Amino acid sequence: MSHPPIATAIPSSSLHQIFRAADARALATGSPVTRLHVGEPYFASPPEVAEAIAEAQRAGRTSYTDVEGLPELRRALSAKLERENRIDAPISRIFVTPGSCQGLQALLLSLAEPGTEILLPELHWPIHVQQSLLAGLRPVFYSLDDRYFPDLESIAEKSGPNTRILLVNSPANPTGAVLDADRIEGLLTLARDRGWHVISDEAYEHFVYEGDHLSLAASERQLPVEKRIVHSVFTFSKSLAMTGYRLGYVVPATEEAAAGLRVVQEAGIIAPPTPVQYGGIAALQMPDVAQANRKLVQQNRDTVLPALRDAGLIRELPSGGWYAMVDVSSTGLGAEAFSAQLLAERSVAVVPGSGFGLRPQLDDRGALVAMDTDSHADNLVRIAFCVDPEILKSGVDALLAFVDERKAR
């Protein structure tokens, strides 16, 4: 029996589905939709970024760069990594990528072995699942505790002889959990004992509201480079509001890993886009912008989200990131039905949690035969609180009213 190509068997992300549904709703009604479903900040990228890109184009700096990116940008990134993340990385282990999403995909392709497993959190960014499947990896999902922290016992139990990669996302999308030093050490100790690679997705590094952001690779700076296991992924999209510019970077743990990633990037992109890299150089000269943007999102969190906590829909305010997972079980509706009815009746778009609890079923050949969802995720919806404050308050107020109405029935 033949199977369809793996890419055609993987369903579209729920993020894209609700995006299209919100657009359709706005078109059908002729009225705006309150969009709490997408991680698009309401603040803009610095104008200096656009000017640097335009100047590069005017000056004709539009030819190919090295596959790893412009040396001057990588030198600036090396200084930033040392200063802000305590990661000691020479430019030979820094790869500029067309967004961190492409960097993650390339990294997975460079580390994947046929038939091996990757450990993902049970509530995860759905793109991580898509990327894992496209790389030929078998996703295995580890449990999170009641505060959405990784459960070490679960990770140990779910892993097996074919496990090769552990993926960690802190601050986490969609849960907002932020790992502390003890939890990081526990994860890395287990990974070293089992011989795993660790991928640290740090897209929301500057958006930590309680405690500090700790890069996993900083824990390895005392180790010889050849013994390190943490591969780090970063982006300009969140901290600098450069979502559409598509600019990120990857820091492989070792020179050997960098050699593998170099082959994938040569085959996949030839080189990252040149003018936007000059925008990245300009952005790195404005470190205060990221902190100012963090304060804007934290103000949203601190002023609007307490109403969700007081209503018993979230346990506590997210410690980091741009999102909150809202428990809608009290309404008697599953996440899909809740999201659909909220959009239809209140014109508020949120993302059903089922999209963050994907459970792909693979056959012995690694072909995708079904895509199930975790039952716990069906009680949750995700809202983005990086949006305009008035839009956020309007959307949360409408959500609360909808919940009250459903509970009163």
Side-chain angles (χ1 to χ4, degrees), residues 191-323:
R192 291 191 191 99
D193 289 345
R194 302 291 177 95
W196 303 336
H197 296 281
V198 175
I199 294 178
S200 180
D201 181 350
E202 303 183 28
Y204 299 91
E205 59 173 321
H206 290 112
F207 295 89
V208 175
Y209 316 118
E210 298 169 13
D212 299 309
H213 172 66
L214 302 177
S215 291
L216 273 67
S219 297
E220 297 196 306
R221 62 182 293 132
Q222 303 305 321
L223 293 177
V225 172
E226 64 273 13
K227 293 187 179 298
R228 299 181 186 182
I229 62 172
V230 179
H231 312 270
S232 307
V233 183
F234 301 91
T235 183
F236 286 77
S237 292
K238 314 304 180 185
S239 305
L240 281 303
M242 292 173 61
T243 54
Y245 286 99
R246 309 313 304 136
L247 188 62
Y249 51 107
V250 177
V251 187
T254 65
E255 295 294 341
E256 180 182 11
L261 182 57
R262 188 171 296 111
V263 171
V264 174
Q265 294 297 72
E266 287 174 352
I269 65 169
I270 303 298
T274 302
V276 74
Q277 294 186 67
Y278 287 98
I281 293 172
L284 290 172
Q285 295 171 358
M286 297 176 285
D288 292 343
V289 171
Q291 294 306 319
N293 290 341
R294 177 192 61 77
K295 291 178 181 178
L296 292 175
V297 181
Q298 182 167 0
Q299 184 174 15
N300 277 0
R301 184 197 80 140
D302 293 346
T303 57
V304 180
L305 297 195
L308 293 172
R309 181 190 58 201
D310 296 344
L313 300 181
I314 61 176
R315 173 175 170 169
E316 57 189 17
L317 300 184
S319 297
W322 284 4
Y323 312 103

Side-chain angles (χ1 to χ4, degrees), residues 14-87:
S14 60
L15 304 176
H16 295 289
Q17 293 171 5
I18 192 65
F19 197 99
R20 289 189 287 268
D23 285 347
R25 169 73 179 173
L27 183 63
T29 64
S31 300
V33 169
T34 303
R35 299 172 184 267
L36 303 186
H37 61 296
V38 63
E40 185 70 49
Y42 76 96
F43 40 86
S45 57
E48 292 88 347
V49 171
E51 178 56 35
I53 293 172
E55 174 57 30
Q57 293 171 323
R58 288 192 293 264
R61 297 195 292 270
T62 58
S63 58
Y64 290 129
T65 68
D66 295 336
V67 67
E68 300 92 342
L70 282 169
E72 51 263 57
L73 174 55
R74 288 151 57 214
R75 283 193 289 270
L77 288 170
S78 179
K80 176 266 181 186
L81 288 163
E82 176 66 41
R83 180 179 66 252
E84 297 187 19
N85 305 95
R86 297 194 68 253
I87 296 175

Side-chain angles (χ1 to χ4, degrees), residues 74-139:
R74 288 151 57 214
R75 283 193 289 270
L77 288 170
S78 179
K80 176 266 181 186
L81 288 163
E82 176 66 41
R83 180 179 66 252
E84 297 187 19
N85 305 95
R86 297 194 68 253
I87 296 175
D88 56 329
I91 67 169
S92 61
R93 288 195 287 112
I94 298 175
F95 287 72
V96 180
T97 62
S100 64
C101 192
Q102 188 280 328
L104 277 162
Q105 181 70 85
L107 183 58
L108 286 172
L109 287 168
S110 71
L111 297 176
E113 302 172 36
T116 53
E117 298 172 347
I118 179 171
L119 290 162
L120 300 174
E122 61 181 357
L123 287 176
H124 48 262
W125 188 40
I127 305 301
H128 287 149
V129 175
Q130 292 179 329
Q131 292 173 331
S132 299
L133 293 171
L134 289 169
L137 293 159
R138 289 177 172 268

